[in-house]
Amino acid sequence: MPLVTLLAVSGLILMPSSTWAEDGARLAAQLCSACHGVHGHSESPMFPRLNAQTPEYLVAQLKGFREHARAETDARSYMWAIASQLDDATVQSLADYFSRQEAIPGAAGDAALLASGHEIFEHGVPDKGVPACASCHGAQAQGAGTFPRLAGQHQEYLLRQIEVFKNGTRGNAPVMTAIAHTLSPEQAEAVAAYLQSR
């Protein structure tokens, strides 16, 4: 959906952020659901699932979009203009709302691929110095503080984020930048498939 259409649908053109009530559910429905789905459960792999995401991560990313700290193409195309309209109270309200939404398990995939991804998630890739994903993202990939929930996230979205960490356009997580350069395409695909299945 073009950015101008998104802005018009969300009402951003029609009313300034200072007039918005701090009502996360209403704001999420007006502002976010066209791309991120009802209650943040995106059906399109183009857009990440926000339901049950950690509030600290959501706050950090929304502020990152607002301040142009995230510069990947999707951020510039979809989120820069939207986030520029959000004050800190609105950011917190949206983060609190999405963090309280139900986590919905993802879809299973190829058993061998999932087993390989599970191994990387739990143990990393020791011979390449890649730590276990679970060490930052939680034993169930549920996220912890500013480390995002990855469980149930779209495989395609996760692979795209690994790419933007690798090419440097998303530079707000140095640990992930280093990991993205170390994972092989096959390893990245395996761990993304496993995470989608959680």
Side-chain angles (χ1 to χ4, degrees), residues 88-100:
D88 286 352
T90 305
V91 164
Q92 189 65 57
S93 182
L94 286 167
D96 290 344
Y97 168 75
F98 284 119
S99 71
R100 292 192 304 266

Side-chain angles (χ1 to χ4, degrees), residues 62-84:
L62 286 170
K63 289 182 178 180
F65 292 131
R66 188 177 68 189
E67 295 155 14
H68 299 179
R70 283 187 61 171
E72 69 267 29
T73 301
D74 292 344
R76 292 193 310 269
S77 298
Y78 295 98
M79 290 303 302
W80 277 16
I82 291 172
S84 72

